[in-house]
Amino acid sequence: MKINSSPIQEISSSLLQAKDIRLLLKRDDLLHSKISGNKWRKLKFNLLKFKELDVEKILTFGGAFSNHIEATAAAGKAYNFPTVGIIRGEKIEPLNLTLTFAESCGMRLKFISRTEYREKNKPDFLEKLKKEFGDFYALPEGGSNALAIKGCREIITETEEQLEILPDYFCVCCGTGGTMAGMIAELEGRAKVLGFSALKGDFLTQEVVQLLQQSESPLYENWQINTDYHCGGYAKWKPELIEFINDFKRKNKIPLDPIYTGKMLCGIYDLIEKKYFEKGTTILAVHTGGLQGIAGFNARFGQLIDV
Ligand SMILES: *Cc1c(COP(=O)(O)O)cnc(C)c1O
């Protein structure tokens, strides 16, 4: 399960030049051929743990468009173990592209109501699932547990091996905040971390604090979550976002997804424009993957994102 580091690529643009900002992109979208981005980082140590245990399958939770469901299903196929996905909300047929892919990897899907889904971490709910599916290794929604955070620490250790100096800022997009928590823990206060929330609301700061506590890391203070660029919430979009993603791809030949990485980079460019970063700043942004979501997004909203 040894994998190569993801490459770091420098982005050039007239804006970056004008504002004297260096922007580097860590291409975690290229990390693994089947299981891309931060979902692979989060799965890695969980898969190693799972292999040590005497259980046969992995069971996890997610929404119908979840990249984590997709990644877990792909891991099951690639490493040959059964997977079960507990999906929030009623079953809508035909299944969307994410769930069709998950099933094609052999994942068994069970749909539960949103009310029931809220109970998913309660012990008796897990007991009920064990009666139905047999014993399993459970991964939480979004895959964020202590072992996932350990995996995300490697974003930083790798970067330190690849670059001679540490960037001033690390940028990452946030769903559960697990990826960001791993980066904060490993940086130990040495550089600033700026998270871009893909969700509406202010709860993510607290989630990151909890995840840091769970992994027995100090909390540090050199990080912040920006909530200005989610376009109204998870999977919500604005024409400016779509235009940014398509333009970024034309200019840099790098695809971005509309749920996470597109919003983060759109935010970074806007902050650069607004002189949020001092002249001479080096920013390393993590491309957390999520590109599987583009086809589903286009199927829902029309062919907005160029492929
Ligand atoms: C899941 C996901 C995230 C969110 O990661 P968290 O660790 O849950 O904050 C960010 N980017 C992409 C592409 C994702 O698929």
Side-chain angles (χ1 to χ4, degrees):
M1 209 117 52
K2 172 74 187 149
I3 43 157
N4 296 327
S5 304
S6 67
I8 293 176
Q9 189 172 348
E10 178 150 11
I11 307 297
S12 50
S13 84
S14 47
L15 173 71
L16 295 167
Q17 206 165 19
K19 306 288 182 192
D20 192 16
I21 301 289
R22 194 163 176 229
L23 177 60
L24 307 171
L25 197 57
K26 184 148 176 67
R27 299 287 308 274
D28 271 13
D29 57 313
L30 304 175
L31 206 52
H32 188 290
S33 61
K34 300 282 177 347
I35 313 156
S36 102
N38 64 341
K39 300 305 182 286
W40 170 249
R41 301 259 184 215
K42 292 181 183 195
L43 278 169
K44 180 179 159 184
F45 289 107
N46 277 296
L47 294 185
L48 292 170
K49 172 84 187 282
F50 165 66
K51 273 194 2 196
E52 283 171 16
L53 299 172
D54 189 26
V55 284
E56 200 186 75
K57 51 175 90 71
I58 290 188
L59 177 142
T60 193
F61 305 88
F65 293 90
S66 162
N67 290 334
H68 166 67
I69 289 288
E70 195 253 8
T72 307
K77 181 157 186 219
Y79 299 107
N80 210 11
F81 58 85
T83 54
V84 179
I86 307 297
I87 310 300
R88 180 183 64 231
E90 66 186 271
K91 183 173 187 179
I92 298 171
E93 286 180 296
L95 291 179
N96 71 30
L97 292 168
T98 303
L99 298 179
T100 303
F101 173 83
E103 266 196 347
S104 78
C105 291
M107 182 177 257
R108 276 180 71 189
L109 300 177
K110 179 182 168 73
F111 294 81
I112 61 174
S113 71
R114 282 160 196 274
T115 321
E116 227 180 330
Y117 193 81
R118 267 178 240 123
E119 311 284 305
K120 66 182 179 303
N121 297 325
K122 300 228 167 106
D124 22 326
F125 186 68
L126 289 173
E127 270 320 304
K128 243 170 59 188
L129 288 174
K130 288 206 166 148
K131 287 212 181 84
E132 185 170 349
F133 294 105
D135 200 13
F136 52 74
Y137 182 71
L139 288 174
E141 182 177 49
S144 290
N145 57 15
L147 287 174
I149 285 161
K150 180 176 172 192
C152 293
R153 280 172 173 262
E154 294 188 341
I155 296 171
I156 304 299
T157 48
E158 263 180 43
T159 300
E160 294 196 80
E161 283 165 19
Q162 290 168 302
L163 299 179
E164 267 152 33
I165 52 156
L166 205 61
D168 305 293
Y169 273 90
F170 284 82
C171 293
V172 65
C173 31
C174 304
T176 63
T179 309
M180 184 174 183
M183 292 167 66
I184 294 167
E186 186 61 31
L187 274 167
E188 299 181 319
R190 291 171 297 151
K192 297 195 181 83
V193 189
L194 190 55
F196 289 82
S197 180
L199 299 115
K200 204 164 147 174
D202 283 328
F203 58 91
L204 262 173
T205 302
Q206 197 45 44
E207 301 277 311
V208 171
V209 165
Q210 272 175 22
L211 288 164
L212 286 168
Q213 283 166 338
Q214 230 180 31
S215 22
E216 292 166 18
S217 161
L219 301 182
Y220 304 107
E221 286 182 354
N222 58 330
W223 59 273
Q224 203 183 335
I225 294 178
N226 178 304
T227 54
D228 294 336
Y229 298 101
H230 55 59
C231 296
Y234 185 78
K236 299 276 196 307
W237 57 276
K238 291 180 179 166
E240 303 92 273
L241 172 71
I242 306 300
E243 207 175 299
F244 178 85
I245 290 171
N246 288 333
D247 187 56
F248 192 87
K249 185 171 180 210
R250 264 194 307 275
K251 290 183 174 143
N252 304 293
K253 311 274 178 289
I254 301 172
L256 301 174
D257 82 294
I259 316 290
Y260 294 103
T261 56
K263 289 178 175 176
M264 169 186 70
L265 274 151
C266 197
I268 293 172
Y269 272 56
D270 191 54
L271 291 175
I272 293 172
E273 188 85 64
K274 291 177 173 153
K275 302 201 176 108
Y276 175 91
F277 303 102
E278 267 178 50
K279 277 191 171 196
T281 296
T282 298
I283 303 168
L284 183 134
V286 185
H287 192 319
T288 41
L291 300 173
Q292 71 92 19
I294 294 176
F297 185 86
N298 277 346
R300 264 166 108 188
F301 300 114
Q303 291 296 312
L304 297 173
I305 313 276
D306 296 341
V307 286

mmCIF file of all heavy atoms in Angstrom, residues 150-183:
data_model
loop_
_atom_site.group_PDB
_atom_site.id
_atom_site.type_symbol
_atom_site.label_atom_id
_atom_site.label_comp_id
_atom_site.label_asym_id
_atom_site.label_seq_id
_atom_site.Cartn_x
_atom_site.Cartn_y
_atom_site.Cartn_z
ATOM 1 N N LYS A 150 -4.258 11.056 10.802
ATOM 2 C CA LYS A 150 -2.862 10.625 10.675
ATOM 3 C C LYS A 150 -2.455 10.602 9.198
ATOM 4 O O LYS A 150 -1.370 11.056 8.820
ATOM 5 C CB LYS A 150 -2.714 9.224 11.305
ATOM 6 C CG LYS A 150 -1.325 8.671 11.251
ATOM 7 C CD LYS A 150 -1.249 7.334 11.988
ATOM 8 C CE LYS A 150 0.111 6.697 11.747
ATOM 9 N NZ LYS A 150 0.155 5.299 12.185
ATOM 10 N N GLY A 151 -3.329 10.104 8.343
ATOM 11 C CA GLY A 151 -3.039 10.054 6.908
ATOM 12 C C GLY A 151 -2.877 11.448 6.319
ATOM 13 O O GLY A 151 -2.016 11.679 5.466
ATOM 14 N N CYS A 152 -3.694 12.376 6.762
ATOM 15 C CA CYS A 152 -3.648 13.736 6.213
ATOM 16 C C CYS A 152 -2.418 14.506 6.692
ATOM 17 O O CYS A 152 -2.014 15.484 6.058
ATOM 18 C CB CYS A 152 -4.929 14.486 6.545
ATOM 19 S SG CYS A 152 -6.356 13.775 5.682
ATOM 20 N N ARG A 153 -1.822 14.065 7.798
ATOM 21 C CA ARG A 153 -0.553 14.669 8.228
ATOM 22 C C ARG A 153 0.500 14.528 7.120
ATOM 23 O O ARG A 153 1.398 15.351 6.992
ATOM 24 C CB ARG A 153 -0.023 13.947 9.468
ATOM 25 C CG ARG A 153 -0.671 14.367 10.767
ATOM 26 C CD ARG A 153 -0.186 13.434 11.866
ATOM 27 N NE ARG A 153 -0.614 13.849 13.185
ATOM 28 C CZ ARG A 153 0.144 14.542 14.046
ATOM 29 N NH1 ARG A 153 1.385 14.885 13.732
ATOM 30 N NH2 ARG A 153 -0.326 14.880 15.223
ATOM 31 N N GLU A 154 0.375 13.474 6.333
ATOM 32 C CA GLU A 154 1.394 13.210 5.307
ATOM 33 C C GLU A 154 1.393 14.256 4.189
ATOM 34 O O GLU A 154 2.356 14.361 3.444
ATOM 35 C CB GLU A 154 1.220 11.791 4.753
ATOM 36 C CG GLU A 154 1.507 10.750 5.824
ATOM 37 C CD GLU A 154 1.554 9.323 5.307
ATOM 38 O OE1 GLU A 154 1.030 9.058 4.207
ATOM 39 O OE2 GLU A 154 2.119 8.472 6.015
ATOM 40 N N ILE A 155 0.307 15.021 4.072
ATOM 41 C CA ILE A 155 0.312 16.134 3.108
ATOM 42 C C ILE A 155 1.467 17.065 3.472
ATOM 43 O O ILE A 155 2.198 17.552 2.607
ATOM 44 C CB ILE A 155 -1.032 16.903 3.154
ATOM 45 C CG1 ILE A 155 -2.179 15.991 2.698
ATOM 46 C CG2 ILE A 155 -0.965 18.182 2.308
ATOM 47 C CD1 ILE A 155 -3.563 16.593 2.912
ATOM 48 N N ILE A 156 1.645 17.283 4.760
ATOM 49 C CA ILE A 156 2.688 18.196 5.225
ATOM 50 C C ILE A 156 4.070 17.540 5.176
ATOM 51 O O ILE A 156 5.021 18.151 4.668
ATOM 52 C CB ILE A 156 2.372 18.690 6.661
ATOM 53 C CG1 ILE A 156 0.987 19.344 6.714
ATOM 54 C CG2 ILE A 156 3.471 19.647 7.162
ATOM 55 C CD1 ILE A 156 0.806 20.563 5.827
ATOM 56 N N THR A 157 4.181 16.319 5.663
ATOM 57 C CA THR A 157 5.516 15.684 5.657
ATOM 58 C C THR A 157 6.040 15.552 4.227
ATOM 59 O O THR A 157 7.210 15.812 3.962
ATOM 60 C CB THR A 157 5.505 14.295 6.336
ATOM 61 O OG1 THR A 157 4.413 13.535 5.842
ATOM 62 C CG2 THR A 157 5.378 14.413 7.829
ATOM 63 N N GLU A 158 5.155 15.202 3.308
ATOM 64 C CA GLU A 158 5.564 15.116 1.902
ATOM 65 C C GLU A 158 6.026 16.465 1.371
ATOM 66 O O GLU A 158 7.049 16.569 0.714
ATOM 67 C CB GLU A 158 4.363 14.688 1.053
ATOM 68 C CG GLU A 158 4.313 13.216 0.758
ATOM 69 C CD GLU A 158 3.094 12.893 -0.096
ATOM 70 O OE1 GLU A 158 2.775 13.634 -1.053
ATOM 71 O OE2 GLU A 158 2.463 11.888 0.222
ATOM 72 N N THR A 159 5.231 17.487 1.657
ATOM 73 C CA THR A 159 5.564 18.835 1.180
ATOM 74 C C THR A 159 6.942 19.250 1.686
ATOM 75 O O THR A 159 7.734 19.835 0.943
ATOM 76 C CB THR A 159 4.492 19.846 1.660
ATOM 77 O OG1 THR A 159 3.243 19.434 1.141
ATOM 78 C CG2 THR A 159 4.797 21.258 1.193
ATOM 79 N N GLU A 160 7.220 18.926 2.933
ATOM 80 C CA GLU A 160 8.524 19.299 3.491
ATOM 81 C C GLU A 160 9.665 18.563 2.803
ATOM 82 O O GLU A 160 10.761 19.102 2.684
ATOM 83 C CB GLU A 160 8.546 19.023 4.989
ATOM 84 C CG GLU A 160 7.587 19.917 5.716
ATOM 85 C CD GLU A 160 7.865 19.950 7.204
ATOM 86 O OE1 GLU A 160 8.777 20.671 7.627
ATOM 87 O OE2 GLU A 160 7.167 19.225 7.934
ATOM 88 N N GLU A 161 9.390 17.350 2.340
ATOM 89 C CA GLU A 161 10.423 16.635 1.581
ATOM 90 C C GLU A 161 10.595 17.236 0.197
ATOM 91 O O GLU A 161 11.678 17.216 -0.368
ATOM 92 C CB GLU A 161 10.041 15.152 1.432
ATOM 93 C CG GLU A 161 10.285 14.334 2.689
ATOM 94 C CD GLU A 161 9.561 12.984 2.646
ATOM 95 O OE1 GLU A 161 9.183 12.530 1.540
ATOM 96 O OE2 GLU A 161 9.355 12.417 3.737
ATOM 97 N N GLN A 162 9.500 17.764 -0.343
ATOM 98 C CA GLN A 162 9.531 18.227 -1.735
ATOM 99 C C GLN A 162 10.029 19.661 -1.900
ATOM 100 O O GLN A 162 10.567 20.007 -2.944
ATOM 101 C CB GLN A 162 8.121 18.104 -2.338
ATOM 102 C CG GLN A 162 7.694 16.657 -2.561
ATOM 103 C CD GLN A 162 6.208 16.545 -2.875
ATOM 104 O OE1 GLN A 162 5.370 16.973 -2.091
ATOM 105 N NE2 GLN A 162 5.878 15.993 -4.026
ATOM 106 N N LEU A 163 9.790 20.496 -0.896
ATOM 107 C CA LEU A 163 10.154 21.912 -1.021
ATOM 108 C C LEU A 163 11.297 22.246 -0.078
ATOM 109 O O LEU A 163 11.420 21.654 0.989
ATOM 110 C CB LEU A 163 8.960 22.810 -0.670
ATOM 111 C CG LEU A 163 7.696 22.688 -1.504
ATOM 112 C CD1 LEU A 163 6.635 23.642 -0.965
ATOM 113 C CD2 LEU A 163 7.957 22.973 -2.976
ATOM 114 N N GLU A 164 12.083 23.229 -0.462
ATOM 115 C CA GLU A 164 13.188 23.622 0.408
ATOM 116 C C GLU A 164 12.745 24.509 1.565
ATOM 117 O O GLU A 164 13.293 24.451 2.655
ATOM 118 C CB GLU A 164 14.294 24.285 -0.400
ATOM 119 C CG GLU A 164 15.314 23.237 -0.798
ATOM 120 C CD GLU A 164 16.051 23.537 -2.065
ATOM 121 O OE1 GLU A 164 16.286 24.736 -2.340
ATOM 122 O OE2 GLU A 164 16.387 22.574 -2.764
ATOM 123 N N ILE A 165 11.753 25.351 1.293
ATOM 124 C CA ILE A 165 11.228 26.161 2.401
ATOM 125 C C ILE A 165 9.739 25.894 2.585
ATOM 126 O O ILE A 165 9.029 25.537 1.638
ATOM 127 C CB ILE A 165 11.446 27.683 2.199
ATOM 128 C CG1 ILE A 165 10.905 28.079 0.823
ATOM 129 C CG2 ILE A 165 12.898 28.082 2.365
ATOM 130 C CD1 ILE A 165 10.527 29.518 0.721
ATOM 131 N N LEU A 166 9.288 26.083 3.789
ATOM 132 C CA LEU A 166 7.882 25.869 4.090
ATOM 133 C C LEU A 166 7.077 27.064 3.560
ATOM 134 O O LEU A 166 7.445 28.214 3.791
ATOM 135 C CB LEU A 166 7.738 25.773 5.617
ATOM 136 C CG LEU A 166 6.541 25.006 6.168
ATOM 137 C CD1 LEU A 166 6.571 23.547 5.732
ATOM 138 C CD2 LEU A 166 6.522 25.105 7.689
ATOM 139 N N PRO A 167 5.970 26.803 2.836
ATOM 140 C CA PRO A 167 5.126 27.917 2.394
ATOM 141 C C PRO A 167 4.598 28.717 3.587
ATOM 142 O O PRO A 167 4.549 28.216 4.712
ATOM 143 C CB PRO A 167 3.973 27.211 1.677
ATOM 144 C CG PRO A 167 4.514 25.873 1.301
ATOM 145 C CD PRO A 167 5.484 25.507 2.374
ATOM 146 N N ASP A 168 4.210 29.974 3.340
ATOM 147 C CA ASP A 168 3.653 30.808 4.422
ATOM 148 C C ASP A 168 2.238 30.368 4.779
ATOM 149 O O ASP A 168 1.827 30.426 5.931
ATOM 150 C CB ASP A 168 3.600 32.277 3.968
ATOM 151 C CG ASP A 168 4.958 32.764 3.501
ATOM 152 O OD1 ASP A 168 5.848 32.855 4.355
ATOM 153 O OD2 ASP A 168 5.127 33.011 2.284
ATOM 154 N N TYR A 169 1.489 29.977 3.748
ATOM 155 C CA TYR A 169 0.097 29.565 3.931
ATOM 156 C C TYR A 169 -0.152 28.201 3.304
ATOM 157 O O TYR A 169 0.321 27.921 2.202
ATOM 158 C CB TYR A 169 -0.846 30.528 3.198
ATOM 159 C CG TYR A 169 -1.248 31.730 3.997
ATOM 160 C CD1 TYR A 169 -0.487 32.892 3.947
ATOM 161 C CD2 TYR A 169 -2.404 31.709 4.775
ATOM 162 C CE1 TYR A 169 -0.868 34.014 4.673
ATOM 163 C CE2 TYR A 169 -2.786 32.833 5.501
ATOM 164 C CZ TYR A 169 -2.022 33.981 5.447
ATOM 165 O OH TYR A 169 -2.387 35.089 6.158
ATOM 166 N N PHE A 170 -0.956 27.400 3.973
ATOM 167 C CA PHE A 170 -1.513 26.190 3.374
ATOM 168 C C PHE A 170 -3.018 26.403 3.250
ATOM 169 O O PHE A 170 -3.664 26.821 4.212
ATOM 170 C CB PHE A 170 -1.249 24.972 4.263
ATOM 171 C CG PHE A 170 0.171 24.479 4.189
ATOM 172 C CD1 PHE A 170 1.172 25.088 4.935
ATOM 173 C CD2 PHE A 170 0.510 23.425 3.358
ATOM 174 C CE1 PHE A 170 2.487 24.646 4.855
ATOM 175 C CE2 PHE A 170 1.815 22.970 3.275
ATOM 176 C CZ PHE A 170 2.812 23.578 4.025
ATOM 177 N N CYS A 171 -3.562 26.147 2.067
ATOM 178 C CA CYS A 171 -5.000 26.266 1.868
ATOM 179 C C CYS A 171 -5.599 24.905 1.551
ATOM 180 O O CYS A 171 -5.002 24.110 0.817
ATOM 181 C CB CYS A 171 -5.308 27.223 0.715
ATOM 182 S SG CYS A 171 -4.857 28.931 1.088
ATOM 183 N N VAL A 172 -6.785 24.660 2.080
ATOM 184 C CA VAL A 172 -7.456 23.373 1.853
ATOM 185 C C VAL A 172 -8.960 23.590 1.960
ATOM 186 O O VAL A 172 -9.417 24.490 2.664
ATOM 187 C CB VAL A 172 -6.963 22.319 2.885
ATOM 188 C CG1 VAL A 172 -7.364 22.680 4.307
ATOM 189 C CG2 VAL A 172 -7.454 20.907 2.522
ATOM 190 N N CYS A 173 -9.737 22.780 1.226
ATOM 191 C CA CYS A 173 -11.186 22.920 1.370
ATOM 192 C C CYS A 173 -11.709 21.954 2.426
ATOM 193 O O CYS A 173 -11.125 20.896 2.658
ATOM 194 C CB CYS A 173 -11.910 22.751 0.044
ATOM 195 S SG CYS A 173 -11.132 21.666 -1.110
ATOM 196 N N CYS A 174 -12.810 22.322 3.050
ATOM 197 C CA CYS A 174 -13.303 21.576 4.213
ATOM 198 C C CYS A 174 -14.737 21.093 4.036
ATOM 199 O O CYS A 174 -15.606 21.859 3.629
ATOM 200 C CB CYS A 174 -13.298 22.457 5.450
ATOM 201 S SG CYS A 174 -11.712 23.171 5.825
ATOM 202 N N GLY A 175 -14.933 19.825 4.369
ATOM 203 C CA GLY A 175 -16.283 19.254 4.469
ATOM 204 C C GLY A 175 -16.538 18.876 5.924
ATOM 205 O O GLY A 175 -17.366 19.459 6.611
ATOM 206 N N THR A 176 -15.760 17.899 6.406
ATOM 207 C CA THR A 176 -15.810 17.564 7.842
ATOM 208 C C THR A 176 -14.683 18.273 8.600
ATOM 209 O O THR A 176 -14.698 18.311 9.821
ATOM 210 C CB THR A 176 -15.618 16.059 8.060
ATOM 211 O OG1 THR A 176 -14.316 15.688 7.587
ATOM 212 C CG2 THR A 176 -16.664 15.236 7.323
ATOM 213 N N GLY A 177 -13.679 18.748 7.879
ATOM 214 C CA GLY A 177 -12.528 19.389 8.510
ATOM 215 C C GLY A 177 -11.399 18.424 8.852
ATOM 216 O O GLY A 177 -10.379 18.829 9.400
ATOM 217 N N GLY A 178 -11.563 17.164 8.521
ATOM 218 C CA GLY A 178 -10.560 16.150 8.871
ATOM 219 C C GLY A 178 -9.213 16.385 8.193
ATOM 220 O O GLY A 178 -8.157 16.261 8.821
ATOM 221 N N THR A 179 -9.258 16.730 6.926
ATOM 222 C CA THR A 179 -8.009 16.957 6.188
ATOM 223 C C THR A 179 -7.262 18.137 6.795
ATOM 224 O O THR A 179 -6.055 18.075 7.045
ATOM 225 C CB THR A 179 -8.328 17.244 4.704
ATOM 226 O OG1 THR A 179 -9.188 16.204 4.233
ATOM 227 C CG2 THR A 179 -7.070 17.279 3.858
ATOM 228 N N MET A 180 -8.004 19.188 7.068
ATOM 229 C CA MET A 180 -7.401 20.380 7.654
ATOM 230 C C MET A 180 -6.818 20.066 9.038
ATOM 231 O O MET A 180 -5.713 20.506 9.367
ATOM 232 C CB MET A 180 -8.461 21.477 7.756
ATOM 233 C CG MET A 180 -7.893 22.782 8.270
ATOM 234 S SD MET A 180 -9.123 24.082 8.209
ATOM 235 C CE MET A 180 -8.148 25.471 8.766
ATOM 236 N N ALA A 181 -7.536 19.296 9.836
ATOM 237 C CA ALA A 181 -7.055 18.954 11.182
ATOM 238 C C ALA A 181 -5.705 18.229 11.101
ATOM 239 O O ALA A 181 -4.785 18.524 11.870
ATOM 240 C CB ALA A 181 -8.087 18.101 11.910
ATOM 241 N N GLY A 182 -5.581 17.316 10.156
ATOM 242 C CA GLY A 182 -4.311 16.597 9.995
ATOM 243 C C GLY A 182 -3.176 17.542 9.642
ATOM 244 O O GLY A 182 -2.058 17.423 10.162
ATOM 245 N N MET A 183 -3.464 18.491 8.778
ATOM 246 C CA MET A 183 -2.437 19.455 8.367
ATOM 247 C C MET A 183 -2.028 20.346 9.541
ATOM 248 O O MET A 183 -0.844 20.594 9.765
ATOM 249 C CB MET A 183 -2.966 20.291 7.187
ATOM 250 C CG MET A 183 -3.137 19.471 5.913
ATOM 251 S SD MET A 183 -4.108 20.309 4.630
ATOM 252 C CE MET A 183 -3.033 21.672 4.227
#
